Amino acid sequence: MLDDQAALERVDAHATRDVLAAFPAQCRTAAALHPEPAPPGIRPRAVIAAGMGGSAAGGDVVAACALERLDVPIVVHRGYGLPALARPDTLVVASSYSGETAEVVSALETALARGVPAVAITSGGRLARLAEQARVPRVALPGGLMPRMALGFLVFPLLATLDAVGLTVASEAEIAEALGALDALAGVLGPARGAASNEAKQLALAIGDAVPVIYGGPLTGASAYRWKTDLEENAKTFALSGTLPEMNHNEIEAWRAPAGKGLHLVLLRDRDEGGAIARRFALVREMCATVAAGVSEVWGRGEGPLARLLSLAYLGQWTSYYLAILRGEDPWLVPTLEALKSRMASDERR
Ligand code: PA5
């Protein structure tokens, strides 16, 4: 079915395939965006990246890339308000693709109330209006996408914002490498490439009716969570995610028959994971394979952490897309999520 263009177009009624195919171009556009006006170039003591769902994913990618680079912590904050860490010597970056997310608006309101320097990354909505009123620097994003499909617009402007305050997470060469890796992947993961040589189609077919379980390592754990959320929203399936070595100390115990028989394990590997983590992946694979419905292993592309993480995220987007097609779900639509948001919004107006 995945190689039958007409069948694929019937399920993908909103042409999500075109948005995913344009992801490298989105990243290229996003890499040219900056906050305006420029934030004061004072190096913060910590960064709080506030966002929810797809708009928090940019913070996860950047925080993972920064782990071995920056002596300043990047805390991804998912929720209302801000943690106590947010003080005038920190920086808050409030990201909401739509600009209508109540939690992120409340994070910016809290930053303003506490005198914490802030930047907003959004295509519009309440967040853009608040930023404009309070003269908060803003990266203005183009609209029209589903937030989870706007990952490029949430990663690159955050990198540019951090760079503007003296926190360089990825060099220009690493950004160029990541863009090149995505270009190369677009050519081999799209619908025109047959399942026989398309890694994303093969993964979706391997997962089939099973529940996907995605495990990453110290760097790729951030990607594992992103795969889980893309699978949930695009394919409308439960999915689990975890990180090595932590899952060796708890979740590994849950891999028993009969529950494990309904799970398909996907391991997100990384060239720099190190010998101890590689050994742990090998053991997890060996122990889970005896009960799992299946096991797959994938690797990030490129040298720099940004290329490796974004290439894994892109593979995950396409895998969740093809799994949606196989299960007869339009990958664009998220009716339950939207129903919950609109009920919350009407409660808040009362
Ligand atoms: O992918 C989605 O649509 C969601 O996870 C949204 O990202 C989330 O609800 C927050 O919305 P926004 O990204 O517009 O702030």
Side-chain angles (χ1 to χ4, degrees):
M1 179 188 180
L2 297 181
D3 289 346
D4 175 347
Q5 193 67 17
L8 189 136
E9 285 174 18
R10 260 196 311 280
V11 181
D12 179 15
H14 292 81
T16 296
R17 60 194 176 280
D18 295 342
V19 174
L20 296 191
F23 182 64
Q26 174 196 128
C27 291
R28 234 165 252 286
T29 305
L33 298 177
H34 298 275
E36 285 177 17
I42 302 165
R43 205 169 189 268
R45 193 176 56 92
V47 176
I48 297 157
M52 301 301 302
S55 290
D60 284 339
V61 168
V62 173
C65 288
L67 265 185
E68 306 242 325
R69 294 272 161 96
L70 290 187
D71 54 359
V72 166
I74 299 180
V75 175
V76 181
H77 174 67
R78 294 173 158 91
Y80 291 95
L82 285 172
L85 175 69
R87 295 191 330 199
D89 57 356
T90 60
L91 174 72
V92 168
V93 184
S95 299
S96 166
Y97 181 71
S98 65
E100 296 294 355
T101 299
E103 297 92 319
V104 184
V105 172
S106 111
L108 183 56
E109 285 168 346
T110 306
L112 292 169
R114 284 195 210 160
V116 184
V119 171
I121 299 177
T122 183
S123 68
R126 288 161 61 200
L127 192 66
R129 287 196 292 279
L130 180 58
E132 194 180 340
Q133 278 159 19
R135 298 173 194 271
V136 167
R138 174 189 164 205
V139 183
L141 304 179
L145 296 174
M146 282 302 204
R148 65 191 175 281
M149 295 169 197
L151 182 66
F153 287 130
L154 296 153
V155 168
F156 289 94
L158 178 55
L159 290 173
T161 300
L162 297 185
D163 205 47
V165 296
L167 303 176
T168 301
V169 174
S171 67
E172 279 182 26
E174 286 175 323
I175 289 177
E177 189 213 8
L179 296 174
L182 295 174
D183 282 337
L185 272 182
V188 295
L189 298 180
R193 177 66 76 109
S197 58
N198 185 319
E199 192 180 7
K201 287 185 181 180
Q202 287 169 6
L203 281 163
L205 289 163
I207 294 167
D209 293 330
V211 170
V213 180
I214 321 295
Y215 290 148
L219 180 79
T220 60
S223 292
Y225 183 70
R226 167 71 181 179
W227 275 57
K228 165 186 156 68
T229 58
D230 269 350
L231 286 158
E232 288 161 347
E233 290 184 63
N234 295 339
K236 285 79 179 163
T237 175
F238 280 109
L240 300 170
S241 72
T243 302
L244 275 66
E246 175 63 15
M247 65 75 56
N248 289 177
H249 300 272
N250 33 63
E251 193 167 324
I252 190 69
E253 199 56 45
W255 278 91
R256 290 169 186 252
K261 284 191 186 311
L263 307 180
H264 184 99
L265 181 60
V266 182
L267 302 175
L268 307 187
R269 306 293 305 275
D270 183 59
R271 48 175 274 162
D272 282 356
E273 65 198 15
I277 295 293
R279 176 73 182 135
R280 285 180 184 276
F281 268 119
L283 289 174
V284 166
R285 184 179 180 127
E286 185 191 306
M287 292 164 97
C288 296
T290 58
V291 277
V295 182
S296 307
E297 192 167 272
V298 301
W299 292 79
R301 268 68 158 187
E303 306 254 327
L306 186 65
R308 276 141 52 203
L309 280 178
L310 284 179
S311 59
L312 276 178
Y314 196 29
L315 178 60
Q317 285 187 329
W318 277 116
T319 301
S320 64
Y321 170 85
Y322 292 124
L323 193 65
I325 302 299
L326 287 175
R327 296 190 181 188
E329 296 284 355
D330 183 336
W332 187 262
L333 301 175
V334 280
T336 314
L337 187 160
E338 281 173 359
L340 192 143
K341 276 188 183 184
S342 85
R343 287 180 67 176
M344 279 301 293
S346 67
D347 288 355
E348 277 163 19
R349 279 195 297 271
R350 266 194 222 136

